[in-house]
Amino acid sequence: MDIQLTGAPLASLEADLLVLGVFQDEAFTPPLQALDNEWAGLLAGVTTEGSFKGKTYELEWLYPAPGKTKRVLLIGAGKRSAYDVRVARRLSAIGARQARNKRAGRVCVALPTTDSLDAAHVAQSVADGALTGLSDSDLYKDREQKFTVGVMQIWVPQADAAATEGLERGRKIASAVNFGRWLGDEPGNVMTPVRVAEESQKWAKECNLECQILGEDELRDAGMGSLLSVSQGSRQPARVVVLSYKGGDGGTTLGLVGKGVTFDTGGTSIKPAADMHYMKYDMCGAATVLSAIGAIAQLGARANVLAVAGLVENMPGGAATRPGDVVRAANGKTIEVINTDAEGRLVLADALDLARRRGADRLVDVATLTGAMKVALGDVTTGAVGNNEEWTAKLLSAAKSVGEYVWPMPLHSEYTDKIKSNIADMMNTGGRYGGALTAAAFLQHFVGDTPWVHLDIAGTAYTEKDFAWQMKGATGVMIRTLVKLGMGDG
């Protein structure tokens, strides 16, 4: 899709579809008022006499439309006080999906700017939202190819250099988000650890990243027995992908670490059959960090970033790890495996240690780690646990600025007490209660004093239902947050 900027009067634009964002309980913005004057009060008639009130994501069609536009879609931007980049992205995605449904080849999106959301941020949000909104998860449906929107114009008050930069930023971030969502949406028989590694190589070349792939012999030589214990029941060999971006002149190195269980049966502690098919999404943490570092590189960040993705398949084969087995991690810690379905932390343990050994002095790990976090925060908010208040606050600030919901959770020493083992240095689970936090306490053993935040995306990595702005499937959650953090402006 060709995405362009325009600052021309709205009434002069030629489009198959014109998408107009309208605030709730407010007079029209000056550009909309000028358009309504050209159209003899048509918009005012709809908003004052009709049912359309401008509530968030509310839709109202005008067809046929006057002037050079075939159709007009009024879309509610909600209250001005709640209007942010998240809402703007979704409005754009809805508009793009509606344009495709109506077979509108040329569409113009005009969303309001505010004091807190300037033209550059609107341009970024519209480009991001349109490109991610049109990326679907129905990868294997045998049907006629979907209609393609050819041209999207983004209307801004001034189509200047800042707005152009915002558009390009949105395009690159959307590319990374769509890459991560695609990795997650592919089925487990396709997106195996080896395949993820292969796709990571291609992605690294596209983004000008250094790429190293560690096979099982190299993982054994590195002593990564914790990670390898997860995959030993599978016919699919484990892999670890290390992507490096060196855009800074010395300074700190941000380490992004992702859990990549390409399919999780639970191993010997096998899961119930109901909903197990969703376990192809258990690699979304790895997809997140691989995608984020690509966008960071494409945006030319003046920073040093390292991404480590631990890739395994967890199966109950004859050689699978048993409950009660003891494994040794690369940092020398021994782990009593109480539950083989608490496998993600075993992968992250060695991956976090590897990131530290490769020079990372700031860490963020991302993982679909615990059902307990989904119970606590649902499918709306990502849980965060950290060992450094300043670093955690920086990540929370980055998340807020890009419109992603993250909530901090506690990490008291009592949670560590719950994973003490009689036979080994620790157990891999601390029981039912506080499961998301005992999992974080486990991970803390592998980060030392390095400032670290753990992001549990178990509830937010994928959605089980369709929305107006996105088909059900992988969401790409936290990619935008990590990009913001990696750019050094979070």
Side-chain angles (χ1 to χ4, degrees):
M1 181 168 61
D2 180 19
I3 304 181
Q4 308 168 356
L5 284 179
T6 181
L10 290 172
S12 70
L13 298 177
E14 294 186 29
D16 298 317
L17 175 63
L18 176 61
V19 180
L20 301 174
V22 180
F23 281 130
Q24 181 180 354
D25 299 333
E26 270 195 30
F28 288 147
T29 59
L32 283 188
Q33 186 60 60
L35 177 64
D36 195 40
N37 292 341
E38 288 279 345
W39 287 356
L42 177 64
L43 301 180
V46 172
T47 55
T48 58
E49 299 174 12
S51 61
F52 179 81
K53 301 301 180 186
K55 295 179 181 178
T56 314
Y57 314 134
E58 183 183 1
L59 303 182
E60 181 72 33
W61 288 94
L62 299 179
Y63 178 77
K68 299 178 180 180
T69 300
K70 294 181 180 179
R71 281 188 176 90
V72 174
L73 174 60
L74 301 182
I75 186 166
K79 298 281 190 180
R80 179 183 288 265
S81 59
Y83 180 65
D84 59 9
V85 292
R86 179 188 180 94
V87 174
R89 270 200 310 270
R90 287 182 172 180
L91 295 178
S92 175
I94 293 169
R97 293 179 71 84
Q98 290 291 335
R100 185 174 64 186
N101 292 342
K102 297 295 186 182
R103 304 183 71 81
R106 186 178 184 87
V107 59
C108 178
V109 178
L111 300 185
T113 58
T114 65
D115 291 341
S116 60
L117 201 64
D118 62 17
H121 286 94
V122 167
Q124 176 180 330
S125 298
V126 173
D128 184 350
L131 291 169
T132 53
L134 292 173
S135 177
D136 290 332
S137 59
D138 52 350
L139 304 175
Y140 293 91
K141 286 196 173 183
D142 183 14
R143 65 185 188 190
E144 185 179 345
Q145 187 175 2
K146 291 181 180 178
F147 178 81
T148 300
V149 177
V151 177
M152 171 174 281
Q153 288 185 310
I154 301 173
W155 185 91
V156 288
Q158 287 186 317
D160 56 14
T164 299
E165 184 179 347
L167 185 157
E168 290 304 317
R169 189 180 180 107
R171 192 197 304 272
K172 290 169 182 176
I173 291 172
S175 174
V177 171
N178 285 339
F179 176 69
R181 289 171 59 198
W182 170 68
L183 289 176
D185 284 328
E186 285 282 1
N189 65 318
V190 173
M191 201 54 68
T192 63
V194 170
R195 175 69 184 279
V196 177
E198 292 171 349
E199 296 300 334
S200 298
Q201 278 186 315
K202 298 175 187 176
W203 178 242
K205 186 175 181 180
E206 180 180 337
C207 301
N208 198 26
L209 296 164
E210 295 179 16
C211 177
Q212 182 185 20
I213 297 174
L214 304 179
E216 290 199 330
D217 289 342
E218 293 161 297
L219 299 177
R220 275 189 285 270
D221 290 344
M224 298 174 74
S226 180
L227 182 148
L228 286 168
S229 72
V230 178
S231 66
Q232 66 189 44
S234 172
R235 296 173 62 184
Q236 299 293 338
R239 291 289 185 269
V240 169
V241 173
V242 182
L243 300 184
S244 303
Y245 172 70
K246 298 176 182 177
D249 184 14
T252 61
T253 296
L254 170 61
L256 306 176
V257 179
K259 170 190 173 183
V261 181
T262 58
F263 195 81
D264 182 22
T265 65
T268 307
S269 307
I270 197 163
K271 295 176 180 288
D275 293 336
M276 193 194 288
H277 58 285
Y278 287 121
M279 289 302 99
K280 69 177 185 176
Y281 293 114
D282 215 18
M283 50 79 71
C284 283
T288 298
V289 302
L290 294 170
S291 301
I293 193 174
I296 290 167
Q298 289 188 339
L299 290 167
R302 295 182 179 179
N304 300 313
V305 185
L306 177 77
V308 178
L311 305 168
V312 298
E313 184 181 70
N314 188 21
M315 299 289 283
T321 298
R322 297 163 287 258
D325 284 359
V326 174
V327 301
R328 186 179 298 274
N331 71 346
K333 297 283 187 180
T334 55
I335 305 161
E336 183 183 9
V337 180
I338 300 299
N339 186 333
T340 65
D341 194 26
E343 84 299 331
R345 64 204 70 180
L346 299 174
V347 174
L348 289 173
D350 281 338
L352 283 164
D353 180 70
L354 177 62
R356 290 182 67 209
R357 287 190 280 116
R358 293 292 180 95
D361 45 23
R362 297 288 187 275
L363 289 168
V364 179
D365 79 71
V366 189
T368 49
L369 204 65
T370 65
M373 190 64 83
K374 188 171 184 178
V375 170
L377 298 178
D379 60 0
V380 175
T381 305
T382 294
V385 184
N387 66 353
N388 180 286
E389 288 187 7
E390 183 180 351
W391 182 234
T392 302
K394 191 172 181 65
L395 183 136
L396 294 174
S397 175
K400 183 177 181 180
S401 70
V402 299
E404 294 196 299
Y405 298 146
V406 182
W407 192 256
M409 305 289 277
L411 185 58
H412 305 308
S413 59
E414 286 82 356
Y415 292 115
T416 302
D417 294 339
K418 295 181 182 296
I419 59 171
K420 289 181 177 178
S421 167
N422 291 330
I423 191 173
D425 292 323
M426 70 195 84
M427 301 185 296
N428 77 323
T429 181
R432 177 182 178 187
Y433 298 108
L437 306 178
T438 54
F442 176 92
L443 295 177
Q444 191 174 23
H445 284 279
F446 302 91
V447 300
D449 295 329
T450 305
W452 155 76
V453 178
H454 159 61
L455 295 174
D456 192 333
I457 60 171
T460 54
Y462 63 95
T463 174
E464 299 174 29
K465 61 181 180 179
D466 291 332
F467 292 97
W469 53 85
Q470 178 187 318
M471 180 182 284
K472 62 184 175 183
T475 62
V477 71
M478 292 294 106
I479 294 175
R480 296 179 181 92
T481 294
L482 295 186
V483 172
K484 185 74 172 178
L485 193 68
M487 293 298 293
D489 54 3

